[in-house]
């Protein structure tokens, strides 16, 4: 029998912090993110990679002391920078590394080999550092399931809308004139729906947590609410924040409300009572409660931290 979808380490709201911004890295403890992602990839210009590695490496012990998962993001295998980045960050202060533009399970095998070498050299249990791959190219989406179960190190997968759109040669709603109201529907951007859903379904099948792309308009809370709500409805367990103002809303949207928790408890109680009477389905407030409804209620309680 498969495990509940939320039994893995729950990242829910990881905060990106540019890896070359000593000032921002020092502020991390002010914010109630569920993980910190010091970024050496896209938020750092090529000329500043070495500096970012040094600043990030220096910040890792302090970030780790904050008691949240620390998951530095390194440059993709396409850049040739990955091993140098990993050399800077692999150590006892990180839970996992994140890596962009993963195309297939062979990429995971390559990163796994690099991590094993560094773990062995540095006296860390080989296999203990996780991998959070970004599925953000057409091939990453097509191979989402194979990537998600390529290694026990993969415990989460991220959908990256910006790079996915660039790879596909499609525009984002933010690139399109305001007058083009057809570009965003209640299902989000139609051009992203297949890929966003594919990542959620692959992650579930592989029993890893799916994390949704950052919402780049960081001063648009209504847009964030709508996109995070969509991701949650599609099966995502969380969404990246790029700005501290996004954290509260993301945590709220990916956490069950008191009403949902109360309802879940009543569903489970009703099902238990029915079972004692030899019935598998029962009515509650005019709705049928049966096994899948109970399973969803258990998911709600697991996401709320009750087991
Ligand atoms: N991590 C930590 N602190 C952050 C932060 C972040 N990601 N983003 C902003 N802050 C801090 C600012 O330093 C500022 O602190 P202060 O109150 O002490 O002055 C405060 O939050 C408010 O920031 P604000 O002035 O509103 O934003 P900004 O203009 O300084 O920064 C961005 C805006 C987008 C440049 C910044 O949020 C950022 O760099 N985000 C991360 C980008 C990233 O990592 N991208 C890669 C993944 S897609
Ligand atoms: Mg990317």
């Amino acid at each position: 029998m498969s495990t509940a979808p939320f039994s893995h380490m729950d990242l829910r709201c990881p905060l990106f912090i540019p890896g070359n911004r000593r000032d921002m890295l020092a502020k991390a403890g002010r914010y109630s993110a569920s993980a910190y992602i010091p970024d050496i990839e896209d938020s750092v210009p090529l000329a500043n990679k070495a500096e970012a590695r040094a600043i990030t490496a220096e910040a890792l012990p302090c970030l780790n002391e904050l008691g949240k998962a620390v998951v530095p993001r390194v440059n993709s295998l396409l850049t040739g920078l990955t091993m140098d980045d990993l050399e800077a960050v692999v150590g006892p202060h990180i839970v996992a590394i994140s890596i962009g533009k993963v195309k297939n399970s062979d990429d995971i095998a390559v990163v796994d080999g690099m991590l094993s070498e560094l773990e062995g050299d540095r006296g860390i249990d080989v296999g203990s550092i996780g991998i959070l791959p970004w599925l953000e190219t057409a091939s990453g989406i097509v191979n989402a399931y194979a990537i998600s179960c390529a290694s026990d190190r993969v415990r989460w997968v991220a959908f990256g809308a910006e790079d996915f759109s660039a790879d596909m040669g499609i525009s984002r709603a933010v690139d399109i004139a305001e007058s083009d109201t057809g570009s965003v529907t209640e299902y989000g951007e139609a051009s992203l729906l297949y890929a966003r859903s594919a990542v959620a379904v692959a992650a579930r099948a592989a029993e890893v947590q799916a994390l949704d792309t950052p919402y780049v308009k960081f001063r648009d809370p209504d847009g964030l609410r709508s996109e995070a709500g969509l991701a949650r409805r599609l099966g995502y367990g969380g969404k990246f924040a790029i700005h501290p103002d996004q954290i509260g809303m993301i945590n709220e949207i990916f956490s069950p409300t008191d009403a949902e928790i109360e309802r879940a408890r009543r569903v489970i109680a009703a099902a238990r009572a029915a079972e004692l009477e030899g019935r598998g389905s029962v009515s509650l407030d005019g709705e049928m409660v049966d096994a899948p409804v109970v399973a969803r209620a258990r998911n709600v309680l697991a996401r709320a931290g009750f087991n």
Side-chain angles (χ1 to χ4, degrees):
M1 198 174 143
S2 70
T3 56
F6 309 105
S7 62
H8 289 270
M9 200 168 161
D10 182 355
L11 291 194
R12 202 166 301 206
C13 182
L15 173 67
F16 266 113
I17 311 174
N20 59 343
R21 290 292 302 266
R22 203 176 260 117
D23 60 328
M24 286 190 184
L25 289 162
K27 289 174 202 167
R30 288 190 201 168
Y31 315 122
S32 55
S34 40
Y36 301 112
I37 317 280
D39 181 39
I40 314 180
E41 196 206 15
D42 288 347
S43 65
V44 176
L46 191 56
N48 300 80
K49 297 291 186 193
E51 181 196 18
R53 281 181 202 125
I55 292 174
T56 297
E58 183 189 299
L60 293 179
C62 292
L63 288 175
N64 184 35
E65 273 178 23
L66 298 171
K68 310 283 177 65
V70 180
V71 185
R73 186 170 72 170
V74 300
N75 288 284
S76 78
L77 293 174
L78 304 168
T79 63
L81 300 171
T82 312
M83 191 59 177
D84 287 346
D85 294 344
L86 290 176
E87 279 182 352
V89 299
V90 167
H93 304 298
I94 67 169
V95 160
I97 61 96
S98 182
I99 180 159
K101 302 178 189 72
V102 171
K103 298 215 290 290
N104 51 42
S105 54
D106 292 347
D107 284 354
I108 297 293
V110 171
V111 178
D112 178 37
M114 291 176 170
L115 285 173
S116 295
E117 185 185 327
L118 291 168
E119 285 167 334
D121 287 351
R122 296 173 184 193
I124 298 167
D125 286 349
V126 173
S128 59
I129 293 179
I131 301 177
L132 193 181
W134 285 74
L135 308 182
E136 52 184 353
T137 60
S139 57
I141 298 301
V142 167
N143 296 314
Y145 177 68
I147 293 167
S148 302
C149 44
S151 159
D152 286 347
R153 292 186 191 269
V154 179
R155 299 174 211 155
W156 321 265
V157 287
F159 171 57
E162 308 304 321
D163 277 300
F164 174 71
S165 307
D167 187 45
M168 291 293 293
I170 57 181
S171 303
R172 296 296 313 279
V174 285
D175 305 331
I176 298 170
E178 294 288 327
S179 58
D180 183 0
T181 50
S183 63
V184 180
T185 70
E186 65 175 306
Y187 305 112
E189 291 178 62
S191 55
L192 298 180
L193 188 54
Y194 168 72
R196 191 177 249 136
S197 298
V199 170
V201 174
R204 175 59 194 134
E207 300 190 15
V208 302
Q209 188 177 46
L211 298 168
D212 193 39
T213 194
Y215 187 66
V216 292
K217 293 162 86 177
F218 60 90
R219 303 215 193 278
D220 171 15
D222 294 342
L224 174 64
R225 180 174 289 283
S226 147
E227 194 173 274
L230 168 69
R232 183 183 158 179
R233 290 194 299 282
L234 291 177
Y236 281 78
K239 186 172 176 70
F240 292 88
I242 49 163
H243 188 282
D245 288 354
Q246 297 182 318
I247 295 172
M249 187 177 286
I250 293 174
N251 275 327
E252 180 201 316
I253 288 173
F254 286 94
S255 305
T257 61
D258 289 347
E260 286 169 318
I261 293 168
E262 169 62 19
R263 163 88 187 162
R265 290 206 162 111
R266 292 180 60 227
V267 163
I268 289 167
R272 278 206 187 114
E275 202 179 328
L276 291 176
E277 292 172 13
R279 285 186 291 141
S281 61
V282 64
S283 96
L284 179 69
D285 306 335
E287 275 176 49
M288 183 191 69
V289 169
D290 63 358
V293 180
V294 174
R296 288 205 301 276
R298 288 196 201 290
N299 289 344
V300 168
L301 295 187
R303 232 181 22 234
F306 304 105
N307 284 308

